[in-house]
Amino acid sequence: MPPRRSARVQGASSSSGSSAGLGAGSSPAPGSAGARSSSPPSPPAPGSPELSSGDSGSDFEDTLRLRSKRGPHRALSHGPVPKRPRRREPSGDGSSPATSSPEQNTLFEAVRSAKIAVETVVDDWLETYKQDRETGFLELVNFIIRSCGCRGVVTPEMFRHLQNSEIIQQLTEKFQEDSAEYPLSLGTQPWRRFRAGFCELVAAVVRRCQYSVVYDEFLMDALISLLTGLSDSQVRAFRHTSTLAAMKLMTALVNVALGVSLHQENNQRQYEAERSKGPSRRATDKLEALLEKRRELQEQQEEIENMMNAIFKGVFVHRYRDIVPEIRAICMEELGMWMRSYAASFLTDGYLKYIGWTLHDKQREVRLQCVKALQGLYCCRDTAAHMELFTSRFKTRMVSMVLDKEPDVAVEVVKLLTLMLENMEEALTEEDCQSVYPVVYVSSRALASAAGLFLYRRLLDPQREASREPSRDGDNRTFFRLLLAFFIESELHEHAAYLVDSLWDCAGPRLRDWETISALLLEESPTEGLADRQEKALVEILAASVVQAAEGQPPVGRGPAKKPSARERKAQVEERTRLTHCLIPALPQLLAKFSADAEKAAPLLEVLHCFDLSIYCTGRMEKHLELVLGQLQEVVEKHAGQAVLEAASRALHALCDPELALRGRGDLVRSRLADQLADKFHQEVTELLQASSLDEEEVYSMAATLKRISVLFNAHDLTPWQLFEPCAQLLQRAVDTGEVPPQVLVPAVTCLHFHILWELSHLPSTSVPQEQLQSLKTRVTSFCSLCQSCLSDVDAGVREQAFVVLSDLLLVFGPQLPRDGREALAPLVLLPEAGLQSQLAAFLMDHVFHPACSHEELSATGTSSPRIPGSSPGMPVPAPSPPVSAEDSESHIEELHQRRVLLAGFCKLIIYDVLELSAASDVFKHYAKVGGARKGCPAPPAMAWGHRALSPPPQFYSDYGDIIKETLNCTRQIDRQEWARTLLLSLQQLMTELLLQQGPEIRAAEAFLEIRDLARRFSLLFSLHQLRNRPALLSMHKEGIQFAFQEPPGPGPGLPPLNLPFLEVLSEFSPRLLRPDKALLLAYLEKTCQERQWLAPRDAPWPSLVTYRNSLQLQEEGGSASSRSSAPRPHPLPGSAAKRPRLDAPSEHPSSSPWPSSRLPSPALTSTALRGGPRPPLRWPPARDPGSDPGLLQSSSLSRRRSRTNRLSLMVEEEEEEKDEVAIEEESNEENTPEQDRTLPASQDRLRDLFDSTILGIEDA
């Protein structure tokens, strides 16, 4: 039996040679990847063509994948299309219910049910194997085959008479190809348990057989040979499952080898101890027994090493660069376990090189497993000491992976560098550490926390150096001084909240040392005191740590707020109480010291929000409350800055809380402040209205007073001080004469706005006195009239403030005011007049959608964003812009934020039915405006990726795209027909503007292509819910046809109407129509042409009309549907996925009316047709009609190609609620078509190989 088995092992050769010679004497070929070498050659990337061929068998695999996903072509049936059956989760063997299941496998059923302990299952199998080892071995083999999802069975006859390669070939032929899924690829909970049980069973087999059966020269040899052959199969399920089994088998053998080596060491010690005895005491029989045991252990060790050598060179060396990322990840994970478990054999450069090479893998899971494997090696000083050569070779790559595009990989890399820092002190240089420090400010909290631990270990830990003597001012003082030095000297970021949050997990107790922070801030010693910048930074750290302790949430922008548990809430309350007791006595002293500095006073006032203010009463700390209120009043009187005044206003509002026992003290201070500010304001207003001119001091004084009042008005009711009339007089004076300075006018408008809102809040919901209603309505009307006049003010601040206030007031006093039981407030409803609506829209066009406000214009000034950290190394970076100062960059960001506020205010008026929906056309027409076409707004250089080029970014999409998209979604829910009419109006306005600018010859203009691109983007919003969108689409096409024919033709016979090119724009919406609607619209088009008596010449048909007519042709009408316009239309490139043909509803006989009822039966298959279903072939004529567009013919021919999903998805423009897979994939394919490549000659495309993976957009790895 053993000779036959050895011949069988040698005969099971494969294309890679991994199955041949797996016995004890096998060795790798010279120069192979399995040979150990101190200077390993650089391997190819895992996704390169070299790795995709050869042993991986990717050609057959791709063919198998395509065949299993798409199914065979079938002739187009004219009958009703049957519904696709619901996709069923495959059974364990991958067979469908219609197929006959193979005989039950005891091991497979036991592992899948997970009802019996694996050890028990293995013991039962071992008894079977001992009785008949062929039967037991076949049961184990069939368990592995069924775990692959194969319905084939290895019979005893096959085992006796066939080689491994022949057995695998027969199994491949029996493998079901209807589904690409197999047990290891399923992610449901039962199959995840099965995967764990599968791995445990393989390990248990070796563990139970390690003392006898492993060395019987049958089980392991035959099993390794079979797994080696399966791992070289072209079927992914075989390759994946067998590789996992082989790697787990190798791990178990490593543990056995480790045990044998321990036994050898024990045997050696016993032998040496026995030999060291004197001749009289030495036992000869025992020495002979120990020598015999030594020989036996050596033989076992050699046999185990031969087995491991066979698995490593037969499976690992080929599969670590497999095309499937999961297989590569398995190899790296297990290799790390071998190195940790058996460092004496595996922790060498010959094995470490595989991890170093695979650090460059393109897939996230593979890089992640490599990093985790290295963590297990660097976590111990003993193993880290053997990593010097590896560290010197691959340290640069590991440091660069801190900016990995996958956050979870970057987190593990930072943890790895932290372990290197702890266990290899000299490995990381200061330059390497400088690459990690900025990561504490990233938005990912997990990554920032990992970087915070690295920063703490490297710089901030006071005890990081054993030779450091204890500081006399304590470790926490040293920590804060080190933290301040890093925060100030690095100049990486100005927000301390992110730094505090990054250090919270590792240095939280130090950051919560409020006493030390307060003592450092209050020190007056010239030698040990802090400098001004240090004081400012420490105040910010104090405020951030207090907020973090009190709220228990990360700062804004660093992940969503989490719901704390009961234990966390209890700890949070306790911490809040402790910090209140610590900081109540210190806060008045800190404010007294820093009240003159607005940048330090504002954070200190924010600390009051985190206090448990009831402690002022329960803790008998009224004296400290009086001191805080006094300092707060002093801050308001001293400063006029917006930030410090808002902080003071919020602090005063917290101290005036009605639920606070000592709120009367806060009310007294508020009344005192209001009296002082109101008296001063009345006096200054009187002087301004009477004086002919004001000097700068008077203007500054009035502006500061009004600013303080406006900030207080936001949180406090100041209506009893009668501030409306003097502010209205100021505003009227500004409108009449223009003599009021802008710095006075802006806070005056704000005060009037808050005054009206406070008056509205005082009105009861029912039984409102008419006098109050009339008075408030008069004030609102007059104030809105004044704000409307301010929209044309010369000062930008006044204009923007007037627009914001008008938007808010129209929204508050809009149609929704009398709802929800407030019918008595109906007389206050304020509807904007037509003049105001047009003025608001004109303001938006002049100050928001102006070319100078575009993203490209800001980029031209040198404020373009830098390269995104962690982006693909293959993506080139645009040329760097000229350096600009931080102030300029910040001002541009503030301006953009202000413009977004203006646009959001206008869009809210449309959404809440204050403005007509048609007013949104001025917003929608900027949804996809390309900035490269505008003069004066140069687009950034196009970035190449492979053979595709990325078109310039939209001019306004990057700035306002999210707002416009949300407005599109919200307005669609209001009225779909009016929404569609508004989209059409946007396109008509753009078309009219283009005709006025360039005349009738516009079809070849770039601006016309932009209009078509916008229409295509709009059409994506109709991709789903066809029956719901049907009336809106029909109405849009009808009105579009009327618009195209409403303008008279130009002079001369045979000339088309001026608006006729609009039909090409309208053709972008034709794919969303149902089949009966296309026929009806085609009839309506012909009827309109006949009624207008505008007939195109037969010899030269109008291209726009031909294009639109062809877009309405049914797919079965091959000859008539083949004509295309000669206009340069944006069409998909060969590299992008072609558009899927849509299955429309069965055609109906049209009624006398050209517009059908809305009760059309639902189509059998809509646009959400699944990818795997049969595709009806599109029949296109071989010849082109006269005037047809070769680009469109090429585009239609591309639609027959069964291309895969394009991975280059840069912008997803589909609405969030429509997350259907087909719609998203279709939109990605269209969005990624570069503008400059859309007009490629069709002759170039025809010469390309249709099966080239780069053309089809198939990802290699």
Side-chain angles (χ1 to χ4, degrees), residues 994 998 1001-1011 1128:
L994 186 60
Q998 301 188 14
E1001 299 297 331
I1002 62 172
R1003 297 182 63 251
E1006 187 175 358
F1008 184 70
L1009 295 180
E1010 295 175 10
I1011 299 176

Side-chain angles (χ1 to χ4, degrees), residues 372-444:
K372 289 185 175 180
L374 291 176
Q375 287 178 359
L377 302 177
Y378 281 103
C379 64
C380 179
R381 287 183 177 270
D382 295 337
T383 56
H386 297 81
M387 306 283 290
E388 291 87 355
L389 183 59
F390 177 86
T391 305
S392 62
R393 172 65 177 83
F394 295 102
K395 183 185 67 173
T396 304
R397 172 58 182 165
M398 290 187 284
V399 173
S400 66
M401 290 178 68
V402 171
L403 300 180
D404 195 277
K405 64 181 180 180
E406 300 294 341
D408 51 349
V409 177
V411 170
E412 299 301 327
V413 170
V414 175
K415 293 180 179 178
L416 171 63
L417 295 179
T418 305
L419 293 174
M420 294 175 60
L421 186 68
E422 294 175 350
N423 298 314
M424 297 182 69
E425 292 81 359
E426 305 299 330
L428 297 178
T429 62
E430 184 62 28
E431 182 180 359
D432 298 332
C433 298
Q434 291 291 341
S435 303
V436 185
Y437 296 155
V439 184
V440 296
Y441 296 106
V442 299
S443 58
S444 172

